[in-house]
Amino acid sequence: VCALFGYTPNLLIIIYVIFALYAFVIAFTRLTSALTTLVPDFSNLLGILMQLFFWATPVVWSVTKLAEHPTILKVIQCMPFSYLVTAFRQAFMGGNIITAGHGIYTIIFWAVTIFMYVWGNHVFKKNKKDFADVL
């Protein structure tokens, strides 16, 4: 479909985005699985937060609609979900999420992902002995 409209998908960026998506999903699930096991009410909060992040992420709307609200635009662009959605769009529609004007968002994405992974591992290892009692 992209080729019909004159866009050539960038295979290297698609591979990078898939790798980034896997890294984020692993970090996110590592953190949330440990927290959900220890605090059962966290699963209810997680469902609400996931729905909120879905509607706050430019999946079904364009981020250009926030042009007159620069503070909200910066916050939305710093969210990891927005980074991944924008990266997939740019991979198929032309553009480079890694460097072309989005370098700071790449750094923020990887910092958040690494922080979540390290924190998730810490929580998981610290409470590993309690999982058998809770489950």
Side-chain angles (χ1 to χ4, degrees):
V1 171
C2 291
L4 290 174
F5 288 101
Y7 298 108
T8 305
N10 189 335
L11 189 60
L12 292 175
I13 297 206
I14 293 171
I15 291 170
Y16 163 75
V17 175
I18 290 173
F19 174 76
L21 177 66
Y22 279 131
F24 180 74
V25 166
I26 288 170
F28 187 75
T29 55
R30 184 75 170 177
L31 175 64
T32 57
S33 66
L35 289 175
T36 302
T37 305
L38 296 171
V39 182
D41 291 336
F42 184 74
S43 63
N44 296 333
L45 177 64
L46 184 61
I48 293 168
L49 290 176
M50 290 300 291
Q51 191 166 26
L52 177 72
F53 284 140
F54 173 77
W55 292 110
T57 301
V59 174
V60 293
W61 54 273
S62 176
V63 76
T64 57
K65 292 185 179 201
L66 296 175
E68 61 244 8
H69 306 287
T71 305
I72 296 172
L73 178 64
K74 293 291 181 192
V75 169
I76 296 293
Q77 287 178 326
C78 288
M79 291 174 32
F81 296 114
S82 295
Y83 177 81
L84 292 169
V85 169
T86 304
F88 270 116
R89 277 190 184 147
Q90 288 187 358
F92 285 99
M93 305 288 273
N96 186 351
I97 189 73
I98 302 168
T99 58
H102 299 282
I104 188 68
Y105 302 119
T106 301
I107 293 168
I108 291 170
F109 170 79
W110 284 109
V112 167
T113 301
I114 290 168
F115 175 75
M116 282 188 350
Y117 185 77
V118 169
W119 188 27
N121 275 341
H122 174 72
V123 170
F124 195 87
K125 288 178 182 177
K126 183 178 178 186
N127 298 305
K128 191 175 184 179
K129 62 187 178 313
D130 298 331
F131 288 158
D133 296 335
V134 174
L135 295 175

